[in-house]
Amino acid sequence: MLIRNLLLGLGVVCLLAGLVFSIVWVGQMRDATAQKPETMRQAVLVTARAVPAGTLLRPDDISWKDVAAGGIHAGNLVRGQVSDAEFVGAITRRHFGAGDALIASDLTRPSERQFLAAVLKPGTRAASIAVDAPQSAAGLVLPGDQVDIILTQSFGDNVPDPARKTVGETILRDVRVIAVDQTLNTTAPAPQPGQSADSRIPKTVTFEVTEQQAERLFVGAQLGRLQLAVRPLEVSSETNTGGSRITGPTWASDVSPAVIGLAHGPQQPGSTVESAVRRPPASTIR
């Protein structure tokens, strides 16, 4: 009888233990099922806005987008496998709409071979000029910027008219910068420890130009001083004049009307009132 009761009690304990283990197991499975969709979601690199073909990607052009595991296709750039910094400065080989997933085969990164040739549009050339701090907008010009190139000339004593001694004119308009020094990255390099401000000023800037524009650029560099004026990212139809339209020159007299007065020589001393007073003739002593 005692053995029977012990066996019965042991059976009840085993039954309760099995019930407890079953409840714990079901709870764990439920939690795993709830967490499974989250753990299976991944992120791919997409465009934050519409990006035309031939664009040098900037940090604000790209972003990460969460997708399900089944939404990842061949060529997608998956977070964890690549970083977005690797594709900043890459050039797009085709047009991407806003939110489109970037494809590795449709991008060429600056570190890849023939990147410069891929940057250039058909019929264009890469032309470089030497610059200093004022010419390069204090070193703030980066690849991908659109700039106007302005030529200033000072004729000195070769021109007698002071109003015509100095002139400035825009020789190229809306030209794309494709390289600064030997850097094709669209982000400014971080300053290195101990690096002076002068060492961060670029020495050369390379532009994407046509053959005729390259000729104008090189001739202008021989005539006088070339300086860069950075254009805004978004240009209205009223101000977007295109790269071929050249406006008239700006002379010294257009900037400073005071220069015109120099052509007439210095003013005579004395006030206008004093000059208007009639003086009696000097008496003659005999």
Side-chain angles (χ1 to χ4, degrees):
M1 187 69 178
L2 179 60
I3 295 175
R4 182 181 179 183
N5 291 337
L6 289 175
L7 292 175
L8 182 61
L10 183 61
V12 172
V13 171
C14 292
L15 180 62
L16 292 175
L19 182 62
V20 171
F21 286 135
S22 298
I23 294 174
V24 172
W25 181 78
V26 171
Q28 291 178 344
M29 291 297 296
R30 186 175 300 168
D31 293 340
T33 303
Q35 295 176 0
K36 188 175 181 181
E38 296 297 328
T39 57
M40 292 184 63
R41 295 189 68 85
Q42 293 179 296
V44 297
L45 200 60
V46 300
T47 53
R49 60 172 66 90
V51 177
T55 300
L56 292 171
L57 293 177
R58 296 174 177 268
D60 53 357
D61 289 330
I62 57 180
S63 62
W64 294 105
K65 179 181 179 181
D66 291 335
V67 296
I72 297 178
H73 304 286
N76 286 161
L77 306 174
V78 183
R79 182 160 53 188
Q81 300 177 6
V82 298
S83 67
D84 53 351
E86 296 179 45
F87 294 90
V88 172
I91 186 170
T92 56
R93 292 178 173 269
R94 66 172 179 86
H95 173 82
F96 287 91
D100 286 352
L102 292 171
I103 306 298
S105 60
D106 292 329
L107 302 173
T108 302
R109 289 181 285 181
S111 59
E112 296 180 11
R113 189 178 179 183
Q114 296 182 336
F115 173 77
L116 181 58
V119 170
L120 296 174
K121 298 176 183 177
T124 62
R125 305 289 187 270
S128 303
I129 61 170
V131 295
D132 55 20
Q135 289 175 289
S136 62
L140 298 179
V141 174
L142 294 173
D145 288 339
Q146 301 289 133
V147 299
D148 293 341
I149 302 178
I150 302 171
L151 168 66
T152 57
Q153 300 178 78
S154 182
F155 302 114
D157 296 334
N158 295 327
V159 178
D161 185 0
R164 299 288 176 175
K165 283 182 178 294
T166 305
V167 64
E169 53 189 324
T170 301
I171 62 170
L172 292 176
R173 192 179 299 273
D174 200 13
V175 176
R176 183 170 67 149
V177 177
I178 58 175
V180 176
D181 286 338
Q182 296 176 340
T183 301
L184 296 95
N185 202 325
T186 57
T187 57
Q192 301 298 323
Q195 186 180 22
S196 64
D198 291 341
S199 63
R200 298 197 300 268
I201 299 300
K203 303 298 187 294
T204 59
V205 177
T206 303
F207 309 97
E208 178 188 60
V209 292
T210 64
E211 288 188 30
Q212 184 179 12
Q213 288 175 329
E215 294 169 0
R216 294 181 62 88
L217 182 67
F218 295 142
V219 171
Q222 297 298 318
L223 292 177
R225 183 176 175 84
L226 296 178
Q227 292 182 280
L228 310 182
V230 181
R231 297 173 67 91
L233 289 177
E234 296 182 3
V235 183
S236 63
S237 58
E238 290 80 4
T239 58
N240 186 11
T241 55
S244 60
R245 182 176 182 269
I246 305 300
T247 58
T250 300
W251 293 94
S253 57
D254 298 325
V255 178
S256 175
V259 177
I260 302 177
L262 297 177
H264 304 292
Q267 294 183 352
Q268 297 297 327
S271 66
T272 55
V273 175
E274 183 181 0
S275 62
V277 175
R278 177 177 295 180
R279 298 179 181 274
S283 59
T284 305
I285 300 177
R286 294 182 181 273

